[in-house]
C-alpha cells in the first residue's frame, strides 16, 4: 500500500526544456574547448613557449570536449514536465500577473488507500474525530489555486462532461453547485446516461441553473471512439484556453477501464482536460461499502493507486469519484 505522503499532491510545471539547456552547454563547452585547443597548438608551434602551458591547454580541451559530449548525450533523455501539462497550464506560466513565476504548484488531494474520505472508515479515523459518510466528497481539492490564477489558466469557455449522470439532479447539479461556490460558471454541460429516462419527466426536473446549458444524450457510452464518442466531442469542442472537467462513472467495469486507458495514452486529451473525475471499480472485501464485490473485479486498491499515479504523473488532475 502506498502511503499518503508518497503520492502526488501537486501538479508541477517547469517552464522551458531541459533539452534546450543541454544544447546550450554543448555549444558553450564545445566553443571553449576549440579555442583552448587552438591556444595549445600555438604554444607548441612556438619554440619560446613553455611546454607545460601547451600540455595544460590540451588537457583542458580534452576535458571540455568530454563535457560537451556528455551534454549532447543528455539531449532527448529528459522529458520535461512542461510537455505533460494542459494548454492552459502551459499558457499560465508565460502570461498575466504570474508570468514571472518559474514553478507553478496546483494543490490536489492525496490519494487515500481506499479512495474515499480519509475519515470514512472508523478504523482509520483518529481518536476524537467523527467518522464521515462514505460518499462524503468534501476532501476533494477542486480548484487547487486562486480564482485569479484559474481564470488566467482558463480564460475561455468552461465545459462539464458527465458520463453517467444517473438522473437530472444528481451529479450534474452537484458539480454545478460546487463549481459555482468556487466562482466558476459552466458555459455548457454535456451528459450521457445509458438507462432510458422519460424525456418529459427528465426535463421537468432538470435544475433551472443548467437547463439552457445542458446537452443530454440518453445513450450508452460505447467503445467505437467515432465522432459521436464523448472523447471526440471534447476534442471538437475544445479551443485553446478552455476548461474541461470530465467525470467517468458509467457503472460498466471493463468499458470504463478501456476509456480511461484511452485517455492515459492520448496526449491531446491529456492536455485538454483540466480535471478528471473517475470511479475505477475495485474489489475490497474489507471495504463493504463498495458496490463491486471483490470476486467480480479484476482490480484491487493497489491497481487503482498505480493507475491514478500514472494519470497524475502525466500532469492530469485526476480525482477518484464515488
Amino acid at each position: 500500500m502506498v502511503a499518503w505522503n508518497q503520492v502526488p499532491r501537486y501538479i508541477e510545471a517547469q517552464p522551458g526544456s531541459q533539452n534546450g539547456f543541454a544544447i546550450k552547454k554543448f555549444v558553450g563547452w564545445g566553443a571553449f574547448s576549440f579555442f583552448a585547443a587552438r591556444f595549445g597548438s600555438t604554444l607548441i608551434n612556438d619554440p619560446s613557449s613553455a611546454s607545460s602551458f601547451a600540455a595544460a591547454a590540451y588537457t583542458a580541451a580534452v576535458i571540455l570536449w568530454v563535457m560537451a559530449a556528455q551534454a549532447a548525450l543528455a539531449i532527448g533523455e529528459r522529458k520535461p514536465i512542461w510537455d505533460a501539462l494542459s494548454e492552459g497550464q502551459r499558457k499560465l506560466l508565460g502570461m498575466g500577473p504570474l508570468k514571472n513565476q518559474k514553478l507553478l504548484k496546483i494543490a490536489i488531494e492525496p490519494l487515500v488507500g481506499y479512495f474515499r474520505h480519509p475519515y470514512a472508515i472508523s478504523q482509520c479515523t483518529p481518536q476524537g474525530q467523527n467518522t464521515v459518510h462514505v460518499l462524503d466528497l468534501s476532501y476533494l481539492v477542486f480548484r487547487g489555486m486562486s480564482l485569479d490564477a484559474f481564470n488566467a489558466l482558463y480564460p475561455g469557455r468552461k465545459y462539464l462532461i458527465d458520463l453517467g449522470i444517473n438522473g437530472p439532479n444528481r451529479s450534474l447539479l452537484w458539480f454545478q453547485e460546487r463549481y459555482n461556490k468556487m466562482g466558476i460558471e459552466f458555459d455548457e454541460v454535456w451528459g450521457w446516461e445509458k438507462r432510458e429516462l422519460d424525456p418529459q419527466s427528465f426535463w421537468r426536473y432538470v435544475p433551472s441553473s443548467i437547463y439552457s446549458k445542458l446537452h443530454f444524450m440518453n445513450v450508452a457510452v460505447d467503445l467505437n471512439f467515432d465522432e459521436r464518442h464523448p472523447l471526440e466531442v471534447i476534442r471538437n469542442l475544445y479551443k485553446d484556453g478552455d476548461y474541461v472537467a470530465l467525470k467517468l462513472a458509467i457503472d460498466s467495469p471493463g468499458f470504463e477501464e478501456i476509456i480511461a486507458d484511452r485517455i492515459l495514452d492520448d496526449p491531446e486529451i491529456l492536455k485538454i482536460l483540466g480535471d478528471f473525475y473517475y470511479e475505477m471499480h475495485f474489489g475490497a472485501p474489507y471495504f463493504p461499502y463498495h458496490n463491486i464485490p471483490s470476486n467480480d473485479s479484476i482490480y484491487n486498491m493497489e491497481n487503482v493507486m498505480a493507475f491514478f499515479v500514472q494519470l497524475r504523473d502525466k500532469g492530469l488532475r485526476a480525482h477518484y469519484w464515488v
Side-chain angles (χ1 to χ4, degrees):
M1 184 62 64
V2 181
W4 280 41
N5 58 359
Q6 295 176 323
V7 296
R9 296 179 65 111
Y10 297 94
I11 302 299
E12 297 186 352
Q14 184 77 41
S17 171
Q18 296 282 357
N19 293 350
F21 181 60
I23 292 172
K24 292 177 183 178
K25 289 194 294 185
F26 173 72
V27 173
W29 290 337
F32 191 72
S33 62
F34 170 78
F35 287 113
R38 288 293 301 271
F39 177 65
S41 177
T42 301
L43 289 176
I44 288 175
N45 294 328
D46 184 357
S48 63
S49 301
S51 60
S52 60
F53 285 103
Y58 265 117
T59 301
V62 171
I63 294 174
L64 289 168
W65 272 114
V66 170
M67 295 171 68
Q70 289 176 338
L73 291 174
I75 296 174
E77 289 183 352
R78 305 174 188 174
K79 180 180 179 183
I81 301 175
W82 177 263
D83 292 340
L85 298 179
S86 69
E87 293 291 334
Q89 288 168 333
R90 292 203 307 273
K91 181 187 294 184
L92 173 64
L93 298 175
M95 69 178 294
L98 302 179
K99 62 182 180 181
N100 296 323
Q101 187 170 320
K102 293 184 178 180
L103 183 67
L104 173 67
K105 286 191 174 183
I106 304 175
I108 191 168
E109 73 281 352
L111 293 170
V112 183
Y114 44 87
F115 303 101
R116 293 296 189 274
H117 192 290
Y119 300 153
I121 296 181
S122 58
Q123 296 92 324
C124 300
T125 303
Q127 187 175 5
Q129 176 72 46
N130 293 329
T131 301
V132 304
H133 193 275
V134 69
L135 298 180
D136 190 318
L137 291 171
S138 61
Y139 73 103
L140 295 182
V141 179
F142 284 84
R143 198 175 61 203
M145 68 194 89
S146 69
L147 184 58
D148 288 341
F150 183 90
N151 289 331
L153 268 170
Y154 306 108
R157 294 176 66 79
K158 314 296 188 293
Y159 296 96
L160 170 62
I161 313 296
D162 191 337
L163 310 186
I165 65 172
N166 197 28
N169 54 5
R170 301 287 294 274
S171 57
L172 289 177
L173 179 61
W174 191 91
F175 275 112
Q176 177 77 5
E177 292 179 346
R178 180 73 180 188
Y179 273 81
N180 282 354
K181 289 180 180 178
M182 297 187 296
I184 301 169
E185 183 77 25
F186 288 113
D187 296 291
E188 294 185 37
V189 178
W190 292 67
W192 273 258
E193 174 57 47
K194 68 178 180 180
R195 182 169 57 92
E196 186 175 354
L197 303 175
D198 176 67
Q200 291 188 349
S201 176
F202 175 85
W203 287 102
R204 182 184 304 120
Y205 292 103
V206 170
S208 58
S209 59
I210 61 174
Y211 190 92
S212 61
K213 306 174 183 179
L214 177 60
H215 307 264
F216 175 50
M217 312 298 170
N218 199 181
V219 294
V221 177
D222 57 33
L223 302 179
N224 290 331
F225 297 105
D226 56 14
E227 66 276 4
R228 297 186 181 187
H229 193 276
L231 293 185
E232 296 308 309
V233 171
I234 291 172
R235 206 187 307 271
N236 292 327
L237 282 174
Y238 178 79
K239 298 292 186 294
D240 189 31
D242 290 346
Y243 171 78
V244 180
L246 170 64
K247 190 209 83 180
L248 174 59
I250 57 177
D251 290 336
S252 297
F255 277 58
E256 289 172 319
E257 284 76 9
I258 293 174
I259 296 171
D261 284 338
R262 184 89 170 205
I263 292 172
L264 180 66
D265 296 332
D266 191 326
E268 184 179 10
I269 291 295
L270 286 171
K271 292 178 182 179
I272 288 173
L273 295 180
D275 285 276
F276 178 40
Y277 304 91
Y278 172 35
E279 182 184 18
M280 185 174 180
H281 297 280
F282 62 91
Y286 44 87
F287 186 48
Y289 306 103
H290 205 277
N291 58 355
I292 301 296
S294 59
N295 58 354
D296 289 345
S297 177
I298 62 174
Y299 298 103
N300 56 33
M301 292 193 298
E302 286 75 14
N303 301 140
V304 179
M305 177 70 74
F307 186 76
F308 271 79
V309 169
Q310 287 185 72
L311 290 171
R312 291 189 176 190
D313 280 346
K314 291 198 174 185
L316 180 58
R317 283 175 50 82
H319 314 263
Y320 192 88
W321 186 254
V322 299

